[in-house]
Amino acid sequence: MPAKVLVTRRQFEEEMDRLRAAADTVVLTRPAPATRPELLEAVRGCTAIFAHITDQIDAEVMDAAGDSLKVIAEFGVGYDNIDVNAASERNIAVGNTPGVLTETTADFAFALIQAAGRRLAESDRFVRKGEWKWFDPLDLLGQDINGSTLGIVGLGRIGSSVAKRALASGMNVVYHNRTQPEDDLGCTRVGSLDELLAKSDFVSIHCPLTPETNGLIGKAQLEKMPKHAVLINTARGPIVDTDALTDALRDGTIAYAALDVTNPEPIPTDHPLLSMENVTLLPHIASATVGTRRKMSQMTVDNILAVLRGELPPDCVNSERINWG
Ligand code: NAP
């Protein structure tokens, strides 16, 4: 009997054809993510799940799939939607797509630094609303990018690529990691997150979402930042406490935020953030270029095809815990 592969969202057809050539492939093509009951039903008997950020893949889903499940291949570098421990306990490999989206995501994060600093989205709304009546030397004043300090939380692959762009633009770069990276590009490591927040004009978040980073930026942390500070989040929404950020932007604790990711996601259309001028909101598109999304799809399929051949995925986050004899 051919192996069954479930792909939970629509994907590039060329990549789906590679899966179809090797397995009985089911692609859920509705625009909306599968509901929980639909997911539990669809995974039954699968060898592989091609998963997305919109799927919570926990022990219940793995058990619904049954003993056939060998790999959960995430379309992305972050895999916080997968219970990796539960997968390892069941001898299920977890794959992801590191590296391939680094430069594209860094381009986007740096674009947000510039857009937030110079109030681009707000200025665009100003023109569209017909509020631009005449040149005003004191209107829509932004903050210089050059000469200011960027604080990077998580100087890993993406954080380092953002740092390169910032250094080339004349910014000073400080960072906070738990460990010392091999090459910090000449950035300055600070002793603590609090020190980074106090020193930075712009703070950009690039750590993964883990139990340790969930709620990392809350009321107390926002209060450490200067009043003119700008917060950029292209990592994961729950790293920032949304209510605390909303209050901080409303009462002037910080000046501005630009968010590719929010908690919840999507942000409800009646959320107070949507009525505030000093926040730019994007729909989780930091890796969304044709070339990069295509490569992510290809890597995810490569991870699945390897398992169908009896090998570990080339990019496997729990390889040391898998024993397929
Ligand atoms: P990476 O290379 O693993 O870098 C993550 C960095 O975070 C590491 O330098 C790590 O250093 C640091 N870190 C981990 N825990 C930390 C903590 N508690 N405090 C401070 N720093 C911490 O990962 P990456 O490829 O750059 O990706 C980073 C994240 O970006 C992904 O996990 C994903 O969630 C997100 N992402 C989002 C999008 C999007 O579409 N918006 C696209 C791509 C990626 P230490 O271990 O030394 O602390």
Side-chain angles (χ1 to χ4, degrees), residues 29-226:
T29 53
R30 272 199 300 126
T35 62
R36 185 77 180 172
E38 284 167 348
L39 183 63
L40 291 171
E41 177 59 31
V43 295
R44 203 175 290 182
C46 281
T47 301
I49 303 173
F50 184 130
H52 300 81
I53 182 75
T54 42
D55 311 310
Q56 280 306 318
I57 310 285
D58 54 17
E60 189 188 18
V61 173
M62 296 172 205
D63 291 341
D67 292 342
S68 57
L69 186 61
K70 293 283 173 290
V71 61
I72 302 158
E74 178 73 13
F75 176 74
V77 63
Y79 47 87
D80 45 275
N81 55 316
I82 300 171
D83 184 339
V84 178
N85 196 41
S88 303
E89 282 168 359
R90 290 162 178 75
N91 226 1
I92 299 167
V94 176
N96 70 339
T97 67
V100 72
L101 41 57
T102 297
E103 297 301 331
T104 299
T105 306
D107 279 345
F108 193 78
F110 198 63
L112 288 190
I113 290 168
Q114 295 177 305
R118 299 301 304 274
R119 302 169 64 179
L120 294 194
E122 190 184 346
S123 301
D124 176 78
R125 288 192 293 270
F126 180 77
V127 174
R128 287 172 197 271
K129 282 192 277 186
E131 288 173 9
W132 188 33
K133 307 279 190 228
W134 43 69
F135 170 80
D136 180 342
L138 298 182
D139 224 356
L140 290 164
L141 302 183
Q143 301 187 43
D144 278 321
I145 307 300
N146 67 85
S148 65
T149 296
L150 170 65
I152 295 187
V153 182
L155 194 79
R157 283 176 292 254
I158 297 168
S160 299
S161 294
V162 174
K164 277 186 210 159
R165 287 157 177 76
L167 292 166
S169 297
M171 297 183 95
N172 309 306
V173 183
V174 299
Y175 70 95
H176 167 66
N177 271 30
R178 293 167 308 171
T179 59
Q180 176 82 45
E182 262 174 40
D183 177 9
D184 69 7
L185 309 162
C187 307
T188 305
R189 188 173 183 211
V190 291
S192 66
L193 177 61
D194 283 356
E195 189 183 338
L196 176 137
L197 296 170
K199 281 191 166 145
S200 302
D201 305 302
F202 294 81
V203 172
S204 193
I205 302 173
H206 298 291
C207 58
L209 174 61
T210 63
E212 199 185 344
T213 63
N214 199 321
L216 188 71
I217 307 292
K219 184 176 189 303
Q221 289 69 35
L222 292 161
E223 284 171 355
K224 297 274 174 353
M225 297 169 73

Side-chain angles (χ1 to χ4, degrees), residues 2-5 18-25 47-48 70-71 301-312 324:
K4 180 181 163 192
V5 176
R18 292 173 66 217
L19 282 180
R20 287 183 190 111
D24 181 0
T25 302
T47 301
K70 293 283 173 290
V71 61
V301 169
D302 287 346
N303 280 339
I304 292 172
L305 292 179
V307 174
L308 296 182
R309 292 192 302 268
E311 301 160 17
L312 278 175
W324 289 340

